[in-house]
Amino acid sequence: MRTLIKSIVVAATMTLTLPVFAANPVVDVETNMGNFKIELYPEKAPKSVENFLRYVEDGSYVDTQFHRVIKGFVVQGGGYDADFNPRPSTYGEVVNESKNGLNNDRGTIAMARKSSPDSATRQFYINLQNNSNLNGSVNKFGYTVFGKVIEGFNVIENMANTKTVTIPQAGMRDVPQQPILIEKIIINN
């Protein structure tokens, strides 16, 4: 009996000293159309998550707009203010992490980029449907998924239903007629 009690005490002590792993970062986003939460996956996309969180922490996503809204495809933002002035890409380009096993599925957030695989900076998009054509594979770079909307996806869907226009002077299509702005964005945990 004494040995059994000693074993239980040792096991309980070992359990108490095991490392506690922090939960994935969660970011709260408040827009003029409503709020949503994004869970980030630093274990799968460490460089992209680090980059995104820098812009969250420095406050430069505030007052940026979702400037590209394509129903049934994506909503994209983070790069322009309400007057279409580009926000600076303060932290440079991010190494492409699209071969991380995360897919551009409905509700995921990914880094927008130019044609060069390692050209993502501050813009991101949220997938409105499964967009397998944007995924990376062994033979090609895709667009790096680094998180997922875990609450408030209906807000994203409402964004997708807004009327859009083309703004020739800015060289942009699929722009919401009424700007959809990020009013506040903070790390929740």
Side-chain angles (χ1 to χ4, degrees):
M1 182 69 161
R2 190 175 249 179
T3 305
L4 178 61
I5 292 173
K6 193 177 200 179
S7 295
I8 292 171
V9 169
V10 169
T13 304
M14 288 177 61
T15 303
L16 295 175
T17 60
L18 290 176
V20 176
F21 295 101
N24 288 335
V26 174
V27 173
D28 293 340
V29 183
E30 295 179 15
T31 76
N32 59 333
M33 286 194 70
N35 307 335
F36 59 94
K37 290 181 186 289
I38 304 166
E39 179 180 15
L40 304 178
Y41 304 135
E43 73 286 347
K44 292 284 193 172
K47 301 287 185 195
S48 299
V49 168
E50 177 186 19
N51 178 69
F52 181 76
L53 288 176
R54 282 180 178 171
Y55 289 109
V56 170
E57 289 172 338
D58 76 9
S60 67
Y61 278 140
V62 174
D63 294 329
T64 61
Q65 67 172 299
F66 285 90
H67 67 278
R68 182 175 179 230
V69 174
I70 304 174
K71 188 173 182 158
F73 184 48
V74 301
V75 297
Q76 181 175 332
Y80 297 93
D81 68 17
D83 297 319
F84 297 99
N85 296 310
R87 289 284 178 95
S89 299
T90 311
Y91 306 109
E93 296 178 333
V94 182
V95 173
N96 189 297
E97 299 171 300
S98 65
K99 298 178 184 184
N100 62 12
L102 297 175
N103 292 323
N104 280 273
D105 291 337
R106 184 176 193 274
T108 58
I109 183 171
M111 294 302 298
R113 64 173 173 83
K114 298 174 185 166
S115 58
S116 170
D118 298 327
S119 60
T121 57
R122 62 178 295 131
Q123 288 189 40
F124 59 88
Y125 64 88
I126 299 169
N127 288 290
L128 294 165
Q129 67 175 12
N130 294 347
N131 290 310
S132 60
N133 58 313
L134 301 177
N135 294 337
S137 69
V138 174
N139 300 323
K140 74 168 183 128
F141 284 100
Y143 294 79
T144 303
V145 171
F146 63 96
K148 184 171 184 168
V149 175
I150 57 170
E151 191 176 300
F153 191 71
N154 61 314
V155 173
I156 308 302
E157 290 173 318
N158 289 338
M159 289 180 188
N161 289 321
T162 60
K163 184 173 176 158
T164 61
V165 296
T166 297
I167 302 180
Q169 63 272 28
M172 295 183 169
R173 297 180 310 188
D174 307 306
V175 177
Q177 191 170 20
Q178 297 298 317
I180 302 170
L181 299 173
I182 294 175
E183 296 176 337
K184 184 177 180 182
I185 183 168
I186 59 167
I187 301 168
N188 176 302
N189 58 344

